[in-house]
Amino acid sequence: MTASPRANELLSIVAHAADAKQATDMVALDVTGPMPYADIFFLATGRNERNVQSIASEIEEKMIAAGAKPLRREGRAEGRWILLDFGHVVAHIFHEEDRLYYSLERLWSDCPVIPITIEKPVRDDADSDAE
């Protein structure tokens, strides 16, 4: 079984929102095999607690705008590991140290990785002439 089209659509929203707040080490795992309640685990890293909180807030805002309501939130106050459960997609936003410590990629290493594509805006020649 693979992630549903809706889950992949939501993954794109989550990844773009995280990227907008300078998340690093973004990874998406297809957890449809071992997880009956989610299709995709999204993992990202923030530089510090404030950045982790900012990434999580941006993800939540964009997902709500897309009609995906959060079913559960955990860890927002501490800003070390914030979990946002949207049903199809569960986003894990980590502080660098916590990401290394918990190493979810290793725990879920048997799950296929879903490629994340972030399109950067294309600059036209008029923009480069202005510089």
Side-chain angles (χ1 to χ4, degrees), residues 86-105:
F86 295 98
H88 292 290
V89 177
V90 178
H92 300 266
I93 303 90
F94 290 94
H95 185 283
E96 291 171 320
E97 295 165 2
D98 294 76
R99 176 88 179 255
L100 289 171
Y101 180 79
Y102 289 104
S103 188
L104 289 187
E105 292 96 328

Side-chain angles (χ1 to χ4, degrees), residues 16-81:
H16 280 86
D19 183 65
K21 295 298 180 178
Q22 290 79 44
T24 61
D25 302 325
M26 294 187 289
V27 175
L29 302 173
D30 184 332
V31 295
T32 54
M35 287 286 147
Y37 62 85
D39 288 356
I40 298 172
F41 275 7
F42 172 82
L43 302 106
T45 303
R47 295 178 309 279
N48 52 48
E49 289 88 350
R50 188 172 180 156
N51 185 225
V52 169
Q53 292 167 333
S54 176
I55 294 165
S57 293
E58 184 74 4
I59 289 171
E60 191 166 5
E61 178 182 315
K62 298 300 183 195
M63 289 290 277
I64 290 170
K69 303 226 184 301
L71 305 175
R72 187 174 57 156
R73 296 176 201 93
E74 293 181 20
R76 186 176 297 271
E78 296 84 15
R80 302 290 300 184
W81 175 3

